[in-house]
Amino acid sequence: MESKKLLTILQMNDTHAYFDIHEEMFWQGNHIEYRKAGGYARIATIVKQIRDESQGNCLFCDCGDTLHGTYPALATQGQAMIPILNSMGLDAMTAHWEFAYGPTVFKQRLTELNYPMLANNVYDKETKKPVFQPYVVKEIDGLRIGLIGIASNIVDKTMPPLYSEGIYFTLGNDELPPIIDLLRMKEKVDLIVLISHLGFTQDMKLLSEVQGVDICLSGHTHNRLYKPVVIGKTILIQSGCHGSFLGRLDLEIVDGQITVYKHQLIEVEAAILPDPIVAELVKQALAPYKNELAEIVGETATALNRGTTLETTMDNFLLQALLENTGSQLAFSNGWRYGAPIVPGLIILNDLYNMIPMNPPVSTVELSGAEIREMLEENLERTFSCDPYHQMGGYVKRCLGLNVYFKIENPSGNRIQKLFVGNEEIQANKYYSAAFVTMQGVPQKYGRNRENRSEYSIDVLRTYLSSHRPLYAELRGTFIAV
């Protein structure tokens, strides 16, 4: 006789430590709309309701980028998040920006969490042994479920060296088949769930090469998948960012085979009543910073967001401030994906820390025209490579003072058609002064006379706002796909 089991899987990914409700960006017809969403207390309400509906036959997983991204999280090296996360009944997680505190601090945070961190692709440099457990087996209503984790593989490739001190990362694809075999043959699991922070396109390629994963919970690239993608026999979902969405997957399983599945991308709407226990924990976590972060620092006429690939108004604000502060010709910053929108009106200090929570120093450098072209081509390849495994960035590098006309579909090193500084075509041997933040803005290998200035990003943003009220930071057509 066949045995039918029901299971609900809930996915949280890329919440970036957004403790409470915040502005979020939504596409509507030919324009963008903003409305409030998110917050762990509202997420907890949804999860509790679904757990009740499913009579506890529920798996709740987190794909990482959770302990980093807002001021209270960074001020406590992720510790402020721990009581909240522990109250939510998560089953497992994997990671990415969590490594920004350094592997030692991250390991300490993990001792405080009441659920496991899984990664099959992080190794100790000296011993060559795995740093984290690669998998865990959960039993829910007689169903044996194997959970495998893959952490972001770019931590030791594109991020500051401190993040990967003493450890190295692989893609995790070679490690996957033996773990799948072990889970099937030895652990006798009915279902295999991959918790990944590789990104949507990398997961797609990985799952086209590796069979045996039933469900892939994908993170990193902030895709809002309103319906699942099926690769072979694997069902893949990804659920936005900032805790503005939860992914829900309802499964009917007969003799270890998924016979029916239903998916919903749930918006964590403002109208949802916050869970009182989690709301109190959030309040406690934010209390030490509440007054400081509520300080009004300016006003904006432009809606500031970071939700588009080629250029954003939020980063133009940052770059405008860098140019004014340094007097440089050009400004560069990383193509970060996280950062809740700031709607027209007053700007508070918290908004600035949401934009650039690390508050790095402002740096300057001189770059030759040839180096600028090479740096931009490298970044475009990392963003748009036709081989997903070579995609290692966030969005396109943020620039000001330049205009780039490029072809997305061209091969590596051949995308840029025309490149201008102001109205003049860039000259290979000429040097240009540039301001930037973080080594992702201008990697260490480029330029001469590199210098960290005494000013830090938040101060420079505040100064700029004090003399530009209201702020205008419209799109400039910096990158034009032709």
Side-chain angles (χ1 to χ4, degrees), residues 161-414:
L162 165 79
Y163 294 12
S164 55
E165 206 167 4
I167 60 175
Y168 67 94
F169 294 72
T170 67
L171 190 61
N173 55 340
D174 291 336
E175 292 89 338
L176 209 47
I179 297 170
I180 291 168
D181 287 347
L182 184 147
L183 286 170
R184 293 280 185 207
M185 309 305 292
K186 191 178 169 193
E187 297 283 1
K188 306 290 183 197
V189 300
D190 301 291
L191 202 68
I192 290 179
V193 178
L194 179 63
I195 306 167
S196 171
H197 200 97
L198 291 179
F200 177 58
T201 54
Q202 290 204 4
D203 286 328
M204 289 282 286
K205 179 169 180 179
L206 178 92
L207 294 166
S208 73
E209 296 174 344
V210 177
Q211 272 73 61
V213 173
D214 296 295
I215 306 293
C216 175
L217 306 177
S218 177
H220 182 55
T221 42
H222 297 195
N223 280 255
R224 299 174 189 177
L225 294 186
Y226 287 89
K227 60 179 189 178
V229 175
V230 180
I231 312 106
K233 291 184 176 176
T234 307
I235 301 162
L236 179 149
I237 67 169
Q238 195 178 121
S239 309
C241 65
H242 299 145
S244 299
F245 300 89
L246 273 184
R248 174 179 181 168
L249 201 54
D250 292 296
L251 306 173
E252 202 174 278
I253 299 149
V254 177
D255 297 333
Q257 300 293 317
I258 298 167
T259 51
V260 180
Y261 67 89
K262 195 173 86 179
H263 170 257
Q264 188 185 358
L265 183 66
I266 302 167
E267 183 183 332
V268 183
E269 296 174 359
I272 293 164
L273 255 104
D275 176 83
I277 293 166
V278 178
E280 180 56 33
L281 292 172
V282 168
K283 189 178 165 188
Q284 288 169 19
L286 298 181
Y289 315 101
K290 192 177 173 189
N291 293 340
E292 178 191 353
L293 293 176
E295 181 192 348
I296 294 167
V297 294
E299 186 182 348
T300 181
T302 307
L304 305 174
N305 73 65
R306 202 174 251 158
T308 47
T309 303
L310 300 185
E311 181 191 6
T312 69
T313 52
M314 184 175 282
D315 290 299
N316 280 355
F317 163 36
L318 171 61
L319 298 171
Q320 285 167 204
L322 294 180
L323 287 181
E324 186 161 297
N325 175 262
T326 62
S328 299
Q329 294 167 277
L330 306 172
F332 299 100
S333 72
N334 186 36
W336 290 297
R337 293 191 183 97
Y338 62 76
I342 305 167
V343 297
L346 296 176
I347 298 177
I348 60 173
L349 185 58
N350 189 54
D351 294 323
L352 303 187
Y353 275 106
N354 286 350
M355 276 175 61
I356 190 157
M358 306 79 68
N359 192 19
V362 174
S363 306
T364 53
V365 69
E366 292 172 6
L367 296 162
S368 71
E371 285 178 310
I372 292 167
R373 182 181 286 272
E374 185 187 333
M375 179 175 78
L376 296 179
E377 284 282 12
E378 177 185 65
N379 176 253
L380 290 169
E381 171 63 9
R382 284 181 166 180
T383 311
F384 298 117
S385 177
C386 60
D387 182 349
Y389 290 163
H390 295 159
Q391 293 176 13
M392 288 190 187
Y395 294 133
V396 169
K397 185 187 298 293
R398 305 316 188 185
C399 313
L400 218 53
L402 286 171
N403 289 93
V404 185
Y405 297 85
F406 75 108
K407 288 197 173 289
I408 289 176
E409 70 276 16
N410 277 13
S412 178
N414 295 282

Side-chain angles (χ1 to χ4, degrees), residues 133 135-139 144-147 183 187 189:
Q133 63 188 97
Y135 70 89
V136 71
V137 176
K138 301 281 296 187
E139 192 149 329
R144 285 179 64 77
I145 305 158
L147 305 175
L183 286 170
E187 297 283 1
V189 300

Side-chain angles (χ1 to χ4, degrees), residues 8 123 177 191 224 272 319 342-343 415 419 424 437 476:
T8 298
Y123 295 90
L191 202 68
R224 299 174 189 177
I272 293 164
L319 298 171
I342 305 167
V343 297
R415 287 189 174 87
L419 173 54
E424 291 186 0
V437 286
R476 309 271 194 101

